[in-house]
Amino acid sequence: MATHSHPLHSISLTLRTPRLLRSKPTTLLTITCKSNQPLNRKLRAAVIGGGPAGSSAAEALASGGVETFLFERCPEAAKPCGGAIPLCMIDEFSIPVGLIDRKVTQMKIISPSNLTVDFGKTLKPHEFISMLRREVLDSFLRRRAESSGATLLKALVTNLEVPTSSNAPYTIHYTMNNSKQTLAVDIIVGADGANSRVAKSINAGDYACAIAFQERIQLPDEKMEYYQNLAEMYVGNDVSPDFYAWVFPKCDHVAVGTGTVCSKQNIKMFQRGIRARVKPKIEGGRVIKVEAHPIPEHPRPIRVRDRVALVGDAAGYVTKCSGEGIYFAAKSGRMCGEAIVRASEGGERMIGEDDLKREYLREWDKKYITTFRFLDLLQRVFYGSNAGREALVELCGDEYVQRMTFESYLYKKLADGNRWEDAKMLVNTIGSLIRCKLVGREMEVFDQRVLAQLL
């Protein structure tokens, strides 16, 4: 569930139409080389899943000299997703401006008591949050991976045979064109989402999942005009007991949705809640698509085992508090692909678990694990009650809080703060939590009435 900024290799390619493999690829019969030993052929990798994580991994692998197969069972499908990407991703991943539906420069966050804060007033003239459709972005990234040399297979992976010895191949069983086929590979990158088959195959451990539910609603022209460059975020027990709800603008419609971890069975009730909150703004709209999808809540206990690495949602790389996943999916895929290329010396040597942990996992954790833990803490503090949510919205009115948030979100780097302002922000946070607890209690009573009506 990608989001707008939450409170608190450039590559030039000529893209061609995707070439889907129609015949059975040649299967590796044996792999006799041990880790770090030279190969008499190119290292062969399979990337399972063709979203931003898988496509970015496949592009990095193929560009680096590794024989690469990219599996995607349904290229036409679109994952339910807010569809926001940070400004830095456009340049870092060479995303064409033409893929962007809306450049959001106005953001509002609305509290349980309907206190509304303009959260975009500190954006600089050149800054914006890009809103796009996942089906458009994913298709572009897959085409680019293929242009880099990856072979795209429109196929459903049905089973993964894990080798019993260190010098044996992984065997992928899949169905393509109603035909059962197999492929033997040296390395596997699991980019197959929250319900990852690859993760299950290597016993990577379980994690808590949220559910995201979203409706795409086509609005009358005069109401769509209101959301021209505006995104809205709503908090409150009526829309989610532990997350937030959103209205994000797309090319010719808005995405209205919500998410929850602790009360997944009531997700449709919370969707009715957000629809009720925005009713005057979306009245007369027509639902053109309904989507739901699991979203991981934290990184998996195991993300690398033997010659298998997990990236994106399969690894659990979705931030708490904001629910951002697109950038971290693409970034983890690219980092993993580049790590394999480095460790294998351009696909010339076999690699093992130690190589993947050293070149990929440690580098990822060094760069991002603190961010994930910090946002986890923020979610527990501010999303657990309406008191916390009121405090969150109140804090979002502070321009220093907004600027620090945008610096961190838009550019994915730690913003340079001011010690005096940081100290003031801490005092204000504590003050808001104390002050808003009274507001929160009043809203709890109100929410009980609202929930009773929704049920």
Side-chain angles (χ1 to χ4, degrees):
M1 175 176 13
T3 180
H4 59 66
S5 71
H6 185 273
L8 277 182
H9 288 5
S10 292
I11 300 176
S12 179
L13 294 170
T14 301
L15 299 181
R16 54 188 169 84
T17 303
R19 172 179 52 83
L20 300 180
L21 196 66
R22 298 295 181 186
S23 59
K24 180 177 178 179
T26 304
T27 299
L28 289 176
L29 298 178
T30 58
I31 295 177
T32 57
C33 293
K34 295 181 180 179
S35 176
N36 205 36
Q37 289 189 351
L39 295 167
N40 57 6
R41 54 172 174 78
K42 281 293 186 179
L43 190 74
R44 176 181 279 192
V47 181
I48 315 299
S55 296
S56 298
E59 179 189 0
L61 287 165
S63 298
V66 176
E67 184 183 10
T68 306
F69 294 87
L70 175 60
F71 288 83
E72 173 54 49
R73 67 175 179 175
C74 190
E76 300 80 18
K79 175 185 172 183
C81 181
I85 61 173
L87 193 61
C88 66
M89 187 173 178
I90 297 173
D91 290 334
E92 187 176 347
F93 286 85
S94 302
I95 306 298
V97 176
L99 267 61
I100 300 170
D101 288 333
R102 303 279 177 177
K103 294 181 179 180
V104 169
T105 56
Q106 297 180 47
M107 283 139 284
K108 292 182 180 179
I109 176 170
I110 300 94
S111 80
S113 65
N114 282 322
L115 170 66
T116 301
V117 167
D118 178 3
F119 198 69
K121 57 187 176 184
T122 63
L123 280 173
K124 297 175 182 177
H126 69 282
E127 292 178 335
F128 57 88
I129 295 170
S130 301
M131 291 288 176
L132 38 69
R133 287 160 289 163
R134 278 292 301 272
E135 58 269 33
V136 175
L137 175 66
D138 292 9
S139 177
F140 168 78
L141 293 176
R142 280 192 296 270
R143 291 198 306 271
R144 193 163 69 181
E146 194 182 12
S147 294
S148 297
T151 299
L152 176 63
L153 291 87
K154 184 178 179 180
L156 172 64
V157 173
T158 56
N159 189 35
L160 172 61
E161 283 186 40
V162 177
T164 56
S165 61
S166 60
N167 60 348
Y170 291 86
T171 302
I172 299 171
H173 295 257
Y174 63 98
T175 301
M176 186 170 66
N177 299 327
N178 296 317
S179 173
K180 294 182 179 180
Q181 303 185 33
T182 62
L183 175 70
V185 297
D186 306 304
I187 304 293
I188 292 178
V189 177
D192 48 341
N195 294 325
S196 171
R197 186 183 295 273
V198 176
K200 290 181 177 68
S201 297
I202 64 169
N203 298 316
D206 295 325
Y207 53 14
C209 274
I211 183 170
F213 188 96
Q214 175 175 277
E215 294 172 300
R216 300 196 193 195
I217 302 177
Q218 205 160 46
L219 301 180
D221 290 345
E222 66 276 11
K223 294 199 171 181
M224 193 65 215
E225 183 65 26
Y226 173 77
Y227 287 108
Q228 180 71 23
N229 62 346
L230 169 68
E232 292 180 325
M233 173 178 157
Y234 291 79
V235 290
N237 281 340
D238 57 328
V239 298
S240 176
D242 53 359
F243 204 59
Y244 66 89
W246 61 88
V247 183
F248 291 165
K250 303 295 182 181
C251 59
D252 59 354
H253 62 276
V254 292
V256 180
T258 185
T260 180
V261 179
C262 68
S263 191
K264 288 178 274 193
Q265 71 277 11
N266 293 321
I267 188 66
K268 290 187 178 180
M269 179 184 73
F270 299 128
Q271 182 67 11
R272 291 195 294 273
I274 179 58
R275 286 187 65 118
R277 291 276 289 273
V278 301
K279 184 178 179 180
K281 301 172 186 177
I282 66 170
E283 208 159 22
R286 179 174 64 90
V287 177
I288 57 176
K289 194 172 186 179
V290 179
E291 307 165 309
H293 201 273
I295 305 293
E297 276 292 287
H298 54 79
R300 283 192 188 271
I302 295 172
R303 289 165 286 155
V304 167
R305 191 188 291 279
D306 297 327
R307 287 172 278 130
V308 179
L310 302 176
V311 296
D313 282 13
Y317 295 151
V318 176
T319 59
K320 297 286 275 295
C321 199
S322 66
E324 183 184 3
I326 296 178
Y327 175 82
F328 292 112
K331 186 68 173 181
S332 64
R334 174 175 283 183
M335 286 181 68
C336 183
E338 291 175 343
I340 292 170
V341 170
R342 283 196 305 273
S344 68
E345 298 179 8
E348 300 296 332
R349 291 179 176 273
M350 181 62 71
I351 68 171
E353 181 175 311
D354 289 344
D355 299 304
L356 286 170
K357 286 182 174 179
R358 181 186 66 253
E359 298 292 337
Y360 160 54
L361 204 55
R362 289 176 189 169
E363 292 302 311
W364 172 267
D365 286 350
K366 185 190 305 181
K367 197 173 183 69
Y368 295 115
I369 201 66
T370 301
T371 297
F372 278 72
R373 289 172 177 167
F374 177 67
L375 291 174
D376 185 11
L377 174 63
L378 286 185
Q379 179 160 321
R380 284 187 274 122
V381 170
F382 289 109
Y383 284 172
S385 68
N386 275 343
R389 298 176 191 115
E390 291 289 345
L392 172 66
V393 176
E394 184 177 287
L395 284 169
C396 288
D398 185 282
E399 292 193 6
Y400 181 72
V401 171
Q402 292 190 22
R403 193 60 233 161
M404 291 299 97
T405 299
F406 282 124
E407 285 290 329
S408 299
Y409 171 77
L410 292 175
Y411 305 107
K412 289 294 173 283
K413 62 182 181 181
L414 189 62
D416 293 326
N418 177 288
R419 289 186 178 183
W420 172 242
E421 292 293 339
D422 288 342
K424 284 171 57 180
M425 183 170 65
L426 177 60
V427 171
N428 289 340
T429 300
I430 295 171
S432 292
L433 286 169
I434 294 172
R435 187 165 51 254
C436 291
K437 192 155 189 176
L438 296 174
V439 178
R441 286 199 190 105
E442 293 170 2
M443 290 309 302
E444 298 290 350
V445 176
F446 172 77
D447 279 337
Q448 292 302 318
R449 296 172 183 167
V450 172
L451 291 176
Q453 293 174 1
L454 293 173
L455 287 169

